[in-house]
Amino acid sequence: MRLVGKQTWVFEHSIYLNSVGTAVGPKEAEGPLGLQFDVTHKDLHCDEETWELAERRLMEQSISTCLEKAQLNNEDVDLFLAGDLLNQNVTANYVARHNQIPFLCMFGACSTSMETLAVGSALVDGGFAKRIIAATSSHNATAERQFRYPTEYGGQKPSTATFTVTGSGAALVSREVGPIKITSATIGRVTDYGITNPFDMGAAMAPAAADTIQRHFQDLQTTPEDYDLIITGDLSGVGSPIVRKLLFDEGYDLDTKHNDCGLMIYSKDQNTFAGGSGCACSAVVTYGHIVKQLMLGNIKKVFIVATGALLSPTMIQQKESIPTIAHGVVLEKNS
């Protein structure tokens, strides 16, 4: 791996996305991408007694599905990189307790999907592991209970609010030849535009996405025309127009190149406010939908930029603003 420019890693070996697995809840299964997910559940409990156990089950299912597709077992994997939204990353930690793969816990809020994929690819490129599983998860009810109000409370939300995706996505990364190459990654820096409203995550995260996308273009001397798609993680209906405007002002017209996972996963009639968010948002859309489009040859090169709001309930109660970050990874069809 070599550093190009300020923030972009270009992998020197051929790094491949060999297999993926996804598991989602009922609303995601009913959405426009529902048929592209591997495991779907009819209710939020996912046949478990608590919301937290349900989220754990989702991550376990995404990993097991990913490995089954590759005809591998836990013992065949050298390293497990994962994180989630819950305090102390309890979903990832407890899954790691179960699968017994050497584990690095990671947290980038909703940017964790691309953070784990980028770091995993770098470790494989550097020869520190032969096979890595990168995974993340979120659950609507666990996230609401921790960051806002329990779902049972029935609190009203503004139209700027996003709806936490219930699901998990996992990816297997190695140097073994596969249909999709991971060619580069741009590591974001923390931005803070002074937004304090936890019900307006799209506006808070849009500047971070714009910063990472612009840096990626500058580091690699590319433009939007070099990609079939440039996809952000969970800016949804509020943040997507903002990131377009911020980049247009810098001379980058995303035009028809841009879409957002939070807008892709739900239909407008599903009552999800501004759209989807959460760690699983970019993970299940990428590993469920985008990977299939790459394998079919419908797209050949995509830049996926997962966005994360690095807030905590304690800091919000103390009237702190919300720091945000975005990490991006380039996936290309292996021709």
Side-chain angles (χ1 to χ4, degrees), residues 63 75 94 205 234-235 244 265:
I63 294 169
E75 294 77 14
Y94 280 69
M205 293 186 292
D234 21 30
L235 302 182
R244 285 171 177 260
I265 194 166

Side-chain angles (χ1 to χ4, degrees), residues 267-280:
S267 59
K268 292 182 179 180
D269 62 355
Q270 285 189 282
N271 299 318
T272 55
F273 306 98
S277 64
C279 287

